[in-house]
Amino acid sequence: MSETGSRVIVALDFPEEQKALQLVDQLEPSLCHLKVGKEMFTRLGPGFVESLSVRGFAVFLDLKFHDIPNTVAAACDAAADLGVWMINLHASGGRRMMETARERLERHAQRPKLVAVTILTSLSREDIAEVGFHGTPAENVFRLAHLTKSAGLDGVVCSPREAGAIRAAVGGDFLLVTPGVRPKDAAADDQRRVMTPGEAIAAGSSYLVVGRPITAAADPLAALRQINADVTESTLSADK
Ligand code: C5P
């Protein structure tokens, strides 16, 4: 489980292994992490994750576990055995589920970082009301971010738009992993409310999840290097 200094996580959303590996072979493990989600993991299984680790990449296994505490803890244990760098679960699975998962990971000498999804950004106020959550999505995001922190997890996945307020509420020592990032002048694709890499870092993001601006670029390595440069510039200007 190598850890790179980069704050970029490249989302591998490909229907086929060969296409994914073609892209991966153009990237460098020292310049990014890789995210494997439900589609690729379900099609290709743990062997695919191992093939990325063998190439030296730190992998975020984005399977968003949500089940009874023992089952989620066992799934996290299995992910840790695979040697991944980061895993996630749904905070709405509750405190006991999160605490049990975190405790199970402590058995691992090199434990993966464990982060939670609060409220999916695809859900509107009406959607969450229908499943029994009161208040606005933002209110629920903050409540679940606090719960995640008090359950001892490492951080949350959130919109870069929420990052500043969550950072102010929960403090510095908490990872904010943010998708919805687009370099200036890049296509928004199906993302609605995007931020540039520099803006997301300035808002308090710890890691940026970036897919198509890198995976669909004519020169993926150049696109990744440019995003890393934007991140560095934003970090340096914040330190001034
Ligand atoms: O290609 P793009 O940069 O839009 O990819 C973003 C990645 O982050 C995808 O894997 C997507 O599923 C994931 N994601 C997201 N928005 C969320 C949660 C996850 O875009 N709220």
Side-chain angles (χ1 to χ4, degrees):
M1 178 167 43
S2 67
E3 177 147 9
T4 114
S6 171
R7 290 164 73 172
V8 175
I9 302 172
V10 180
L12 293 181
D13 295 311
F14 290 93
E16 290 161 34
E17 181 170 22
Q18 198 201 354
K19 290 214 165 80
L21 291 180
Q22 259 170 22
L23 180 273
V24 167
D25 287 338
Q26 297 177 65
L27 303 177
E28 290 175 21
S30 60
L31 298 181
C32 64
H33 308 77
L34 300 177
K35 179 172 89 66
V36 174
K38 287 189 171 87
E39 179 188 8
M40 295 211 79
F41 190 78
T42 305
R43 285 192 190 283
L44 305 172
F48 176 63
V49 174
E50 277 161 348
S51 71
L52 302 175
S53 300
V54 164
R55 286 168 160 81
F57 287 93
V59 176
F60 172 17
L61 189 59
D62 176 20
L63 298 182
K64 300 186 182 70
F65 297 132
H66 190 172
D67 210 312
I68 59 171
N70 186 55
T71 300
V72 167
C76 289
D77 208 9
D81 284 341
L82 259 181
V84 301
W85 159 73
M86 180 180 277
I87 50 184
N88 60 358
L89 45 67
H90 276 281
S92 54
R95 176 187 293 282
R96 221 156 32 83
M97 186 197 81
M98 289 196 276
E99 287 179 346
T100 310
R102 189 209 67 213
E103 284 160 18
R104 191 73 61 92
L105 288 177
E106 279 163 12
R107 297 179 187 171
H108 293 264
Q110 273 204 308
R111 76 165 181 88
K113 295 185 188 308
L114 181 60
V115 298
V117 174
T118 55
I119 299 290
L120 292 167
T121 51
S122 52
L123 297 175
S124 67
R125 184 173 187 153
E126 292 70 36
D127 293 326
I128 64 170
E130 206 168 28
V131 292
F133 286 74
H134 301 291
T136 64
E139 285 162 356
N140 283 278
V141 166
F142 294 129
R143 198 188 64 255
L144 289 168
H146 276 293
L147 179 63
T148 301
K149 186 163 190 195
S150 87
L153 269 62
D154 298 300
V156 290
V157 181
C158 64
S159 154
R161 303 259 160 196
E162 297 160 349
I166 297 178
R167 175 65 70 218
V170 300
D173 187 21
F174 195 61
L175 299 179
L176 303 182
V177 179
T178 59
V181 174
R182 287 291 178 272
K184 205 166 149 285
D185 303 329
D189 305 304
D190 54 354
Q191 298 281 7
R192 288 286 167 269
R193 295 179 304 125
V194 296
M195 273 194 181
T196 66
E199 287 167 347
I201 293 293
S205 175
S206 315
Y207 291 103
L208 313 176
V209 177
V210 187
R212 288 159 290 181
I214 294 171
T215 60
D219 184 343
L221 184 61
L224 170 60
R225 283 189 195 282
Q226 183 58 53
I227 294 173
N228 278 334
D230 293 349
V231 167
T232 303
E233 191 183 312
S234 175
T235 313
L236 290 178
S237 60
D239 288 344
K240 271 182 197 157

